[in-house]
Amino acid sequence: MAVDERSNGAEPTRGSLLYDPKVRGIFFQAVLLIAIVWIAWYATTNAIANLQRQNIASGFGFLGATASFEISQTLISYSPASTYGRAFVVGLLNTLLVAGIGVVFATLIGLLVGIARLSSNWLLRQLATAYVEVLRNIPVLLQLVFWYFAVLKALPGPRQSLTFSGVALNIRGLFLPRPVFGAGSGLFDIAVIVALVAIGVVHVWARRRQVATGQQFPVFWTSLALLVGLPFLALAATGFPVTFDVPELKGFNYVGGIIVGPELVALVLGLTLYTASYIAEIVRAGIVAVNKGQSEAAHALGLSQGTTLRLVVLPQALRVIIPPLTSQYLNLTKNSSLAVAIGYPDLVGVFAGTVLNQTGQAIECILITMGVYLAISLVTSGIMNWFNARVALVER
């Protein structure tokens, strides 16, 4: 007859540590960690030794050296006398510009096309389907090349530009009037800031009012009136101290105004239309995922089709739309590195291209470039996760 050791008050016999799953797990994790650290140490020391053997400088001191090259598009002041560090900032800002514009327009186009995919209008539904099927099945690099070489490079020269009310379009880009703010325009800036703050206050107040009373407030039209009305009143009070620098044809090209290069236009067009085709399918899937009974109940209460879509269906569809939408934003940002194919001076083209070739410090340039894209992606994911948590269904 078996005797229970615990019933006798004796301590249970411990087996060998080799047969303890917990100990084995800790042991193998420690071995793996040591192996990873050793590989990283070996790769680092080996790279440093190879660089020293080939007399290649290492470190980040090159960022303070003179760049000595031009950049075709800059959002901040830059010249060949600037440093490599400033060239890095210029490339970073150009990348953020493309990503920001692309995300906004891809979202708008994707939302409209996704709704059109479910339209009861046969022609509109087929056009939306054709858009999605054509654009998402062609590589984005080919689309960038198409827009740049087949469309924008086919535009007329400066003397035969397409002009309309101070706007000129030719093979060298899009030329727009540039506002020039004179003395007293500081009140305009203050009015814009006040309008933005007021819009935020109105949005919060309207949301609390709707939760408390169920009554809606025209937030959009009120916000639009604040955003347009307050700056207009400020300009009127200061005698409209704003003039426009209209581009003029002088010699062989237009001078003045805002110049949007054909590389930027082609890049934004290609990335926006390509990403919008995926977003359209995400929006369609999100709307289909909402129970049809929700729409039927809204119609029974007398809501129109558009109001039902805007106030009932889309808010619930956001819970399905946002997670895959985040991936599309990240893809758009990373795909902007294809700009090097059409000559747009983004971060990869400027820093991981020209700066790397001139300095020969490949490890530092590539590490910085990869770190920047990683940081942009993490920040984008963090913002979208925060927004997703706000619209997520809360269980009570």
Side-chain angles (χ1 to χ4, degrees):
M1 181 178 178
V3 179
D4 190 352
E5 294 180 352
R6 294 184 179 178
S7 63
N8 295 334
E11 289 291 332
T13 305
R14 288 183 175 274
S16 172
L17 291 178
L18 293 176
Y19 299 105
D20 188 338
K22 187 175 181 180
V23 174
R24 284 207 308 270
I26 295 174
F27 172 76
F28 286 120
Q29 289 181 49
V31 170
L32 179 61
L33 180 61
I34 293 172
I36 292 174
V37 171
W38 180 81
I39 291 173
W41 172 82
Y42 179 78
T44 304
T45 54
N46 189 48
I48 293 174
N50 288 334
L51 291 174
Q52 291 176 344
R53 191 179 306 117
Q54 298 176 16
N55 294 324
I56 298 177
S58 60
F60 298 95
F62 73 97
L63 293 173
T66 303
S68 303
F69 65 89
E70 291 274 3
I71 298 178
S72 59
Q73 177 182 311
T74 63
L75 296 178
I76 58 175
S77 60
Y78 174 86
S79 71
S82 301
T83 62
Y84 287 124
R86 195 163 186 84
F88 163 77
V89 176
V90 170
L92 173 60
L93 292 178
N94 286 344
T95 294
L96 293 177
L97 175 68
V98 171
I101 296 176
V103 164
V104 172
F105 283 100
T107 304
L108 294 176
I109 296 173
L111 177 64
L112 295 177
V113 176
I115 294 173
R117 286 269 282 154
L118 299 171
S119 172
S120 58
N121 186 305
W122 181 86
L123 179 59
L124 182 61
R125 187 171 66 249
Q126 296 307 317
L127 288 174
T129 302
Y131 171 87
V132 171
E133 296 301 333
V134 170
L135 289 181
R136 75 173 178 176
N137 289 309
I138 297 176
V140 63
L141 179 59
L142 289 180
Q143 295 190 38
L144 295 180
V145 172
F146 168 79
W147 286 111
Y148 185 65
F149 290 103
V151 177
L152 298 177
K153 283 297 181 182
L155 289 173
R159 293 183 182 277
Q160 295 79 33
S161 298
L162 305 174
T163 58
F164 176 75
S165 186
V167 178
L169 178 66
N170 58 50
I171 194 173
R172 296 184 180 176
L174 178 65
F175 296 81
L176 302 168
R178 180 171 60 88
V180 180
F181 296 92
S185 60
L187 188 61
F188 172 82
D189 300 334
I190 296 174
V192 171
I193 296 173
V194 171
L196 293 176
V197 173
I199 289 172
V201 172
V202 168
H203 179 77
V204 173
W205 172 79
R207 186 179 180 82
R208 292 179 178 175
R209 177 173 180 263
Q210 183 173 357
V211 171
T213 65
Q215 296 180 350
Q216 295 181 3
F217 187 79
V219 177
F220 175 77
W221 294 112
T222 304
S223 302
L224 185 62
L226 288 170
L227 193 60
V228 175
L230 286 181
F232 180 81
L233 290 176
L235 291 176
T238 53
F240 293 97
V242 181
T243 57
F244 287 91
D245 178 18
V246 179
E248 297 179 3
L249 180 61
K250 292 183 178 179
F252 297 100
N253 200 4
Y254 274 83
V255 178
I258 299 175
I259 304 173
V260 182
E263 295 83 9
L264 175 60
V265 176
L267 186 61
V268 170
L269 277 174
L271 292 179
T272 298
L273 297 179
Y274 176 78
T275 308
S277 64
Y278 284 91
I279 293 179
E281 285 300 274
I282 293 171
V283 171
R284 184 180 69 85
I287 294 176
V288 171
V290 177
N291 194 321
K292 188 175 290 186
Q294 299 285 326
S295 300
E296 294 173 349
H299 293 154
L301 292 173
L303 297 181
S304 64
Q305 185 70 24
T307 306
T308 300
L309 178 67
R310 183 167 55 88
L311 298 180
V312 178
V313 177
L314 281 180
Q316 298 183 69
L318 282 177
R319 301 176 184 123
V320 179
I321 291 173
I322 290 177
L325 188 63
T326 304
S327 298
Q328 293 307 316
Y329 288 168
L330 299 182
N331 287 338
L332 188 148
T333 304
K334 290 180 285 188
N335 285 339
S336 67
S337 61
L338 296 173
V340 70
I342 56 175
Y344 178 74
D346 74 324
L347 181 62
V348 173
V350 172
F351 197 67
T354 307
V355 174
L356 187 153
N357 290 329
Q358 286 193 358
T359 62
Q361 298 194 247
I363 295 177
E364 292 84 353
C365 290
I366 297 300
L367 281 178
I368 292 175
T369 305
M370 292 190 336
V372 167
Y373 276 99
L374 177 63
I376 295 174
S377 297
L378 291 177
V379 170
T380 304
S381 298
I383 294 174
M384 293 302 291
N385 289 337
W386 169 79
F387 184 63
N388 188 41
R390 284 182 59 86
V391 300
L393 188 63
V394 179
E395 297 288 346
R396 296 181 180 177

